[in-house]
Amino acid sequence: MSMPRVSAAEGWFALDIDGPRLLGTRCAGCGTVHFPPEQGFCRNPSCSGEDFADIPLSRRGRIWSYTDSRYPPPAPYIAQTDPYEPFTLAAVELAAERIVVLGQTVAGVTVDDLEIGQEAELDAGVLYADANREYLIWKWRPVRGPGEGGDEGVHHRTPHSVSEQGR
């Protein structure tokens, strides 16, 4: 029997019937979209708004930048392997909101698999587990559309993908 899966970033990320979803807020005063969600004041310097609507964010966007983490991040990061194994990070500009969201890529993706402007979709993976549940975090999965080259370096959804489980 599998353990229950919950968000490791409550209020920032959730799983719904269609898979993982980032959660943000939209300022009622100026329409600025915030991620992570804002509750205090609008981050737009020309707005003094303090009223926000909770909104789901796009599941797809385009890679704006990327890098890899060759050294372990500081606490509270929890390494998944011992010894530490580097992982890849992607900054993805969400299509509709036009904001950039940083996150790890799914396992197996390296900087050699990524390109600026490449489409990426939201997925999820286990950040850590305790005796009672697995804690999930959002991750980016690179996507290639028709006519954008072969499948080299492209990672397709697998049965282990959170967005494929629990449907």
Side-chain angles (χ1 to χ4, degrees):
M1 185 169 144
S2 64
M3 290 194 290
R5 297 178 135 195
V6 299
S7 173
E10 190 63 39
W12 291 20
F13 167 76
L15 297 174
D16 63 26
I17 191 74
D18 296 322
R21 171 74 75 186
L22 293 172
L23 306 172
T25 52
R26 182 182 312 276
C27 175
C30 69
T32 298
V33 175
H34 302 284
F35 180 82
E38 183 58 68
Q39 302 302 322
F41 60 91
C42 185
R43 293 180 215 141
N44 177 345
S46 64
C47 179
S48 59
E50 295 180 356
D51 187 24
F52 303 92
D54 295 329
I55 60 169
L57 301 179
S58 301
R59 287 189 167 99
R60 283 188 176 228
R62 299 231 171 244
I63 295 175
W64 184 76
S65 185
Y66 58 90
T67 190
D68 56 5
S69 181
R70 293 278 167 194
Y71 58 91
Y77 176 77
I78 301 168
Q80 296 296 303
T81 59
D82 187 16
Y84 172 78
E85 292 179 20
F87 56 87
T88 304
L89 297 162
V92 175
E93 182 177 26
L94 301 182
E97 297 84 0
R98 307 276 321 218
I99 61 172
V100 176
V101 176
L102 183 66
Q104 289 185 27
T105 60
V106 294
V109 173
T110 70
V111 294
D112 295 331
D113 300 323
L114 303 175
E115 299 172 6
I116 301 297
Q118 181 179 10
E119 190 172 16
E121 67 180 345
L122 193 66
D123 206 333
V126 176
L127 180 63
Y128 67 96
D130 63 21
N132 300 314
R133 59 185 57 100
E134 291 179 322
Y135 295 86
L136 306 177
I137 196 69
W138 70 91
K139 295 192 176 194
W140 294 111
R141 177 180 299 281
V143 175
R144 290 206 191 269
E148 292 182 312
D151 280 350
E152 301 84 28
V154 177
H155 301 271
H156 302 281
R157 290 182 185 244
T158 66
H160 302 291
S161 171
V162 170
S163 53
E164 295 295 319
Q165 294 180 1
R167 287 192 177 174

